[in-house]
Amino acid sequence: MKGVLETQEMHSPALESNPLGDPARRQLTVYLPPGYAQGARRYPVVYFLNAFSNSGKSWTNFSAFSVSVPERLDALVAAGTIPPVIGVFPDGWTSLGGSQWVNSDAIGRYRDFLVKDVVGFVDRTYRTLPKPAARAVVGHSSGGYGALVMGRYHPEIFSHLSAQSPDAYFEYCYLPDLPKVAAALLKAGGVEAWYQDFVRRARDTKARGDDFTVINALAMAAAYSPKKGEPLNLELPFDQQTGRLKLDVWNRWLVHDPVRFVPKFVDAFRKLKTVYIDCGTRDEFNLRWGARMIAEDLKPSGTELIHEEFEDGHTGVNYRFERSLAVLGPRLALE
């Protein structure tokens, strides 16, 4: 037997009047395990946070010679590796490509969107076990970062998390790209000019190879250093004319670095029942090192931590969810 995918439409009060004008009404993809429709039992829930430049729909995309995450859920349940679970795939897309799953004055309240609106909707709509021990939050890249954000702020909502290749140690994963971003913005004539040209090209023709680097930096600035009145309501951590690092703004970014906030909020992570972290040894964004640092900080805290590495890069690694779910699934409360 296979599970069933449903698409719901939900309204998010948290996203009303968000600064980017993105819709507050969102589609929500939900995986229901085999046998859900025939019984009355309640199920634990796994929340999947999409990576930057993806959306909730991305989890179900066809990939040549591979399988989707919902198909991997089917296989894990069929093999008895994990108990039957409800899988929830919220839509974290924004006009800048992503939100980092944080509340931001430049993007909107995406942390509240998840923990208040999505979790509330799912618990009202489906036969869930509505308690932290029966909820897990997982994600890769920016989704993995978002899982760590939930561990920091909401151990009362999620007792289990998996952060896979999460954005961490910003000196390694973001800083090397800033000179390229500065050059592109200088050539375009500033943030707004570059962004409008990017949106037009991406819609009418196609994006350029360096566009991802620039839009990623703008999205991160919107998440970590929002500033009303600036173009796109964000402040970049460098001077756009000289490229000189603005230490006051860069330090605002660093406050959001898991390498900084995990040790500071270790008491919140100690409340979790499971923390799984992994990263590829050939991760192109140097995320391996941040993952190691986070794991090192959590080990002495008594947190139930599993930290692993694997031989691969950053993209095309959704097969790793089979491993993370195999770790988290049996630890979910079943009653």
Side-chain angles (χ1 to χ4, degrees), residues 102-124:
V102 301
N103 291 343
S104 161
D105 289 339
I107 302 173
R109 295 187 291 125
Y110 282 82
R111 175 162 60 88
D112 289 349
F113 162 65
L114 177 64
V115 299
K116 295 180 180 180
D117 301 340
V118 175
V119 172
F121 177 85
V122 170
D123 283 344
R124 290 192 303 271

Side-chain angles (χ1 to χ4, degrees), residues 4 161 171 207 268:
V4 174
L161 74 80
E171 289 93 333

Side-chain angles (χ1 to χ4, degrees), residues 145-182:
Y145 176 89
L148 292 172
V149 168
M150 300 309 151
R152 168 183 176 174
Y153 287 106
H154 296 293
E156 84 287 359
I157 301 293
F158 306 102
S159 285
H160 313 271
L161 74 80
S162 171
Q164 298 174 234
S165 307
D167 293 13
Y169 204 55
F170 290 0
E171 289 93 333
Y172 285 0
C173 69
Y174 297 146
L175 196 56
D177 281 340
L178 295 187
K180 304 173 189 175
V181 178

Side-chain angles (χ1 to χ4, degrees), residues 7-335:
T7 299
Q8 295 276 1
E9 194 168 275
M10 57 165 287
H11 178 77
S12 168
L15 297 185
E16 289 178 356
S17 302
N18 66 80
L20 291 173
D22 290 327
R25 195 154 191 86
R26 298 281 169 131
Q27 287 193 338
L28 186 70
T29 302
V30 179
Y31 167 90
L32 300 176
Y36 179 89
Q38 286 72 47
R41 66 178 287 190
R42 291 184 170 273
Y43 296 87
V45 187
V46 181
Y47 289 82
F48 294 82
L49 306 187
N50 60 263
F52 180 75
S53 78
N54 290 332
S55 71
K57 295 179 181 179
S58 303
W59 296 96
T60 61
N61 287 349
F62 170 80
S63 180
F65 308 111
S66 184
V67 294
S68 68
V69 169
E71 289 171 320
R72 295 185 190 280
L73 275 173
D74 268 341
L76 289 166
V77 171
T81 305
I82 66 172
V85 299
I86 294 172
V88 178
F89 304 89
D91 181 13
W93 169 259
T94 76
S95 296
L96 290 175
S99 68
Q100 296 300 91
W101 301 95
V102 301
N103 291 343
S104 161
D105 289 339
I107 302 173
R109 295 187 291 125
Y110 282 82
R111 175 162 60 88
D112 289 349
F113 162 65
L114 177 64
V115 299
K116 295 180 180 180
D117 301 340
V118 175
V119 172
F121 177 85
V122 170
D123 283 344
R124 290 192 303 271
T125 307
Y126 296 99
R127 296 195 312 273
T128 67
L129 286 164
K131 57 184 181 180
R135 295 192 196 103
V137 58
V138 307
H140 169 263
S141 194
S142 288
Y145 176 89
L148 292 172
V149 168
M150 300 309 151
R152 168 183 176 174
Y153 287 106
H154 296 293
E156 84 287 359
I157 301 293
F158 306 102
S159 285
H160 313 271
L161 74 80
S162 171
Q164 298 174 234
S165 307
D167 293 13
Y169 204 55
F170 290 0
E171 289 93 333
Y172 285 0
C173 69
Y174 297 146
L175 196 56
D177 281 340
L178 295 187
K180 304 173 189 175
V181 178
L185 296 180
L186 187 65
K187 182 178 180 180
V191 169
E192 286 186 338
W194 182 90
Y195 181 70
Q196 294 303 323
D197 182 58
F198 164 72
V199 170
R200 179 190 57 77
R201 286 187 290 101
R203 181 187 63 240
D204 296 341
T205 56
K206 64 178 182 179
R208 292 194 300 253
D210 62 348
D211 282 339
F212 180 88
T213 301
V214 183
I215 194 64
N216 183 71
L218 296 183
M220 298 309 116
Y224 307 142
S225 54
K227 186 175 182 181
K228 290 183 179 179
E230 293 290 321
L232 298 181
N233 292 311
L234 60 88
E235 188 172 16
L236 288 162
F238 58 84
D239 182 90
Q240 292 187 52
Q241 295 301 312
T242 65
R244 188 190 302 273
L245 200 62
K246 292 182 176 179
L247 292 180
D248 58 331
V249 182
W250 178 241
N251 286 333
R252 290 176 65 194
W253 283 41
L254 295 184
V255 169
H256 295 276
D257 188 344
V259 169
R260 272 79 178 187
F261 75 64
V262 168
K264 185 176 180 181
F265 292 89
V266 71
D267 286 345
F269 286 88
R270 192 179 287 121
K271 295 175 183 177
L272 303 175
K273 295 184 180 297
T274 321
V275 176
Y276 177 87
I277 300 172
D278 79 1
C279 193
T281 58
R282 294 182 276 109
D283 188 280
E284 296 86 346
F285 300 99
N286 305 309
L287 298 175
R288 174 191 192 184
W289 307 109
R292 285 189 163 215
M293 294 176 202
I294 296 167
E296 182 181 58
D297 288 329
L298 285 176
K299 282 177 184 176
S301 72
T303 303
E304 187 66 30
L305 171 71
I306 299 93
H307 171 232
E308 297 180 343
E309 293 186 346
F310 56 96
E311 284 294 325
D312 209 336
H314 189 74
T315 60
V317 294
N318 82 6
Y319 62 86
R320 289 296 300 177
F321 282 103
E322 291 191 11
R323 172 59 184 158
S324 61
L325 293 171
V327 171
L328 268 58
R331 296 165 182 256
L332 289 164
L334 300 179
E335 58 182 25

